[in-house]
Amino acid sequence: MQYRDLGRAGLQVSDIGYGAWGIGGAGGGWVGAEDDESLRALERFIELGGTFIDTARGYGRSEELVGRVLREHRDEGLIVATKVPPKNGEWPARAGVPVEEAFPGDHIRASLETSLKASGLDAFDVVQFHVWSDEWVGNGDWLETVQALKEEGKLRHFGVSINDYEPENALALIRSGAVETVQVIYNVFHQQPEEQLLAACHEHGVGVIVRVALDEGGLTGRITKDTTFEEGDFRRTFFQGDRPAQVEQHVQALADDLGIAVDEVPDVALRYVLSHPAVSTVIAGMRTVRNVERNAATSDRDALPQATVARLKAHRWERNWYRG
């Protein structure tokens, strides 16, 4: 496993992180996770040198499972991040909605206290707002609350999870100096963060946590025109209609262009994201030991040749399927 700086936070994190949304069960929007296998996967991730784990209050039982494992590995340099959901329950944050409706100070504190209780941990290394709007910079009492919680030792660093496919909607926050990390969707298909966000993070020492690097499974090579998902799994909507067929076509075109097999695409996709120097870590969903071992192996491989990175630029495919 390779390691990188999490911006100016003073933390070193594994470049492949553990995205713990999928292990939270149906309460978090995923179907099919088994606690025993999830716990084995987390243990294997740590055994292979993984140090960064990302969870959230809104991920079903994820915080509970993550906390159970982390309590067995105290003082081993593990870094855990969680997220505070918006009080108004709106994903993503809408323009014109005041921050007092989404992240008032008392809500931030109550949510963090609930997360600490659920996980059995004393503090989180990174606490992130689960949505963000740059209209909120300089408004509300959220910043004072975050600072107070830092002083109380309940969180160490503050970040935000940027709205889906809105990478420019955090530039003002980054330039304000109030944030230490941002989490953003970035992958071979969604290359928009390269336009402004990543350079701004590099300039201001903000750690970049990449999510959806495999396009919710689209870049795993396992989504085909015949793929379906169970009721209650958010991917049933994400990959509705003819979308699986579209994904299959785009992934096959990518594989053909590079002269690789489809099952090699996820490794290339992760290495594409890691090729950008502003990226600190990529959180991949890993509900099985096999997933962990495959993604951890990516960390040990050489960087993608620049010629391959340049070739992948042609496979940009911008769209937002979270909107139904």
Side-chain angles (χ1 to χ4, degrees), residues 134-178:
D134 259 351
E135 295 175 358
W136 298 339
V137 174
N139 295 309
D141 62 351
W142 60 270
L143 186 57
E144 292 83 354
T145 302
V146 166
Q147 187 58 41
L149 290 166
K150 281 186 178 182
E151 292 171 359
E152 294 167 27
K154 294 176 180 177
L155 70 88
R156 299 186 177 97
H157 303 282
F158 171 66
V160 300
S161 183
I162 300 174
N163 286 356
D164 302 333
Y165 305 109
E166 296 181 15
E168 286 79 29
N169 195 2
L171 293 175
L173 178 66
I174 290 164
R175 292 164 181 156
S176 76

Side-chain angles (χ1 to χ4, degrees), residues 64-82:
E64 176 189 339
L65 296 176
V66 167
R68 189 185 309 178
V69 171
L70 289 182
R71 292 196 305 274
E72 298 297 319
H73 294 274
R74 295 184 188 274
D75 304 319
E76 294 184 27
L78 301 179
I79 308 299
V80 62
T82 194

